[in-house]
Amino acid sequence: MPYIIETFDRPGSLDIRKANRAEHLAYLDRIKDRLLACGAKLNDDGTDAGGGLYVVDVESRAEAEALIAADPFFQVDLFERVEIRRWRKAYLAGKSYL
């Protein structure tokens, strides 16, 4: 079942994000079979907005929590907060799931 995981970086933590980005991307590659979508939140001018959004396909909230807890960004305490919500997949890549 799909879940949305939204992360919010701690203020002033861009250097932490940059320093751990390679490990974070390697982690995403390892879990790509469970990612429906994933990416950083950006400001309108394309600069980093301090957080990200993951849409994951897992069996339970506990699995979604474990997935984000294993992210290197989480492990270096980048996030001020993380919000996890179940999500109903209605349309994805132009395909209806209704």
Side-chain angles (χ1 to χ4, degrees):
M1 70 189 69
Y3 281 82
I4 293 172
I5 303 170
E6 187 173 8
T7 63
F8 301 83
D9 291 3
R10 293 185 182 287
S13 62
L14 185 56
D15 288 342
I16 295 170
R17 176 174 278 278
K18 288 179 178 179
N20 293 277
R21 186 171 186 267
E23 293 85 358
H24 166 72
L25 294 176
Y27 173 70
L28 295 180
D29 193 57
R30 288 193 304 275
I31 66 164
K32 64 186 172 192
D33 61 317
R34 290 177 275 168
L35 294 174
L36 297 174
C38 184
K41 296 185 289 188
L42 302 175
N43 296 311
D44 288 343
D45 65 1
T47 58
D48 191 289
L53 183 72
Y54 307 63
V55 183
V56 299
D57 188 15
V58 294
E59 295 301 318
S60 67
R61 180 182 184 83
E63 192 175 340
E65 291 170 348
L67 207 65
I68 196 64
D71 188 314
F73 279 169
F74 187 94
Q75 295 178 352
V76 295
D77 205 27
L78 174 64
F79 304 135
E80 178 177 57
R81 77 179 196 274
V82 173
E83 295 181 5
I84 300 174
R85 303 237 188 279
R86 279 194 59 187
W87 179 65
R88 178 180 298 118
K89 181 170 60 172
Y91 281 85
L92 185 63
K95 180 180 176 185
S96 174
Y97 291 85
L98 300 175

